[in-house]
Amino acid sequence: MGLEELREQIDAVDKRLVEDVKERMKVSAEIGMYKREHGIPVMDSKREREVLHKISKMVDDPMMDSYFRVLYSLLMELSRSYQNKLINENDEAIKVVEDAIANTPKMFPKVAKVACQGVEGAYSNIAAEKIFKNPDILYTGNFEGVFRAVENGLCDYGILPIENSTAGSVRNVYDLMLSHNFYIVRSTRIKVNHCLIAKNGVDIRDVKEVYSHEQAISQCSEYLKELGVKVTSVANTAMAASMVASSDRKDVAAISSFRCAELYGLKSIASNIQDNGNNHTRFICISKKPEIFPGANKTSLMMVLSHRPGALYKMLARFYALDINVQKLESRPIPDRDFEFMFYFDIETSVYSEEFVQLMRELSDGTEEFHYLGSYNEVI
């Protein structure tokens, strides 16, 4: 039998499958309406296990069995999605979004009290000035201080680095997200051009020790390897510059920005020393209450999924079914809970889209914990 004849057979099977799936979804909708009338949750794990068990008994090939389990798991995900759409269950999250849209000013503030980790000249300082025209900055000694300043009302907003295009995610920030209440209201990306800065009169051959933040050290690892000096990690790049400026030593330098060199009376003895020329750090701006400004097209979410095979796959299938792009997926272990992880998602879709509304109605279903972190746009 030729290829075209085989494809005709597949087409005939697909035609029957489409009709059968349509019939299945029709019955699923009727089940959803019954559940609404009788106050029964959409999610029924026991019933889903029974269905998968029955399907497995119908298939005598072990390899085919695994394929059918994937197929029917997806079918049941789609059925639940359809039921949620019909009966509008899990509206709590979407109410948070609607209230935030209604109560947020139409213009992002130009002036605000903003918390940043570090000291004057730090990249967080630069990010704050990119997001706000005239920020009144409160500097904190660590990232947790930024979260606390916002939570306690000391600042309206906080600026936090979340990932770098070379060194990856800022894990300390992701870990702190698990224990603080906040909402993301904006993000931005800063081009990172690292310089080796030192006191006037210091030659690069005199340098024996270099101070910088661990992320900057990682981003300049090849350069530092060739330089062959002692490397000391400090809280941030601006603090590194301050330490060099206040030191009596003539053999120390800092990896920092050119702006820090100007601020602390230092000079750049080598520029653009990062391993990758396309080096950007992404920063988020957080607030205590949800604020959604016009044009929001990115959303961040955190959730704990069931610790069983296929849990993440099923969640990703929901994004796929709604044609929503996942821009970032990060997992972090949950303290004091063995082998359990919090998953962090950045998704790309307009907050005003029908797909977004449907997703928000569905996400509480099938998750052990679900946290909406905010919808926002990115300042370029």
Side-chain angles (χ1 to χ4, degrees), residues 13 59 75 102 111 117-118 157 180 189 194 197 282 335 338 377:
V13 172
V59 182
L75 276 174
V111 180
Q117 185 267 346
Y157 301 97
H180 291 279
R189 293 176 189 268
H194 288 308
I197 62 177
R282 180 173 173 241
D338 292 339
N377 59 16

Side-chain angles (χ1 to χ4, degrees), residues 295-310:
N297 58 5
K298 293 169 69 77
T299 294
S300 294
L301 311 163
M302 284 199 310
M303 60 190 80
V304 178
L305 305 179
S306 301
H307 187 54
R308 63 175 187 265

Side-chain angles (χ1 to χ4, degrees), residues 204 207 220-229 231 273 275:
I204 195 168
V207 176
C220 302
S221 59
E222 293 300 319
Y223 178 83
L224 290 170
K225 189 184 299 181
E226 291 182 12
L227 198 60
V229 297
V231 179
I273 62 173
D275 300 339

Side-chain angles (χ1 to χ4, degrees), residues 308-331:
R308 63 175 187 265
L312 179 58
Y313 166 80
K314 290 179 180 179
M315 183 54 62
L316 291 172
R318 297 188 182 205
F319 295 118
Y320 177 74
L322 292 169
D323 196 29
I324 291 175
N325 183 39
V326 177
Q327 291 186 316
K328 183 176 179 64
L329 170 58
E330 180 82 16
S331 66

Side-chain angles (χ1 to χ4, degrees), residues 70-137:
V70 170
L71 173 62
Y72 272 83
S73 293
L74 180 57
L75 276 174
M76 287 187 287
E77 286 290 325
L78 295 175
S79 293
R80 272 192 273 119
S81 173
Y82 192 38
Q83 290 176 10
N84 278 322
K85 185 174 184 178
L86 290 172
I87 66 179
N88 293 330
E89 194 174 89
N90 300 323
D91 277 345
E92 184 178 342
I94 199 62
K95 188 176 187 307
V96 171
V97 173
E98 290 171 346
D99 288 348
I101 291 173
N103 297 317
T104 301
K106 299 303 179 186
M107 296 291 291
F108 195 82
K110 294 181 179 180
V111 180
K113 183 77 173 178
V114 183
C116 294
Q117 185 267 346
V119 294
E120 188 75 18
Y123 283 106
S124 292
N125 175 188
I126 298 171
E129 291 179 349
K130 188 172 181 180
I131 292 174
F132 299 93
K133 187 174 183 180
N134 187 25
D136 178 11
I137 298 178

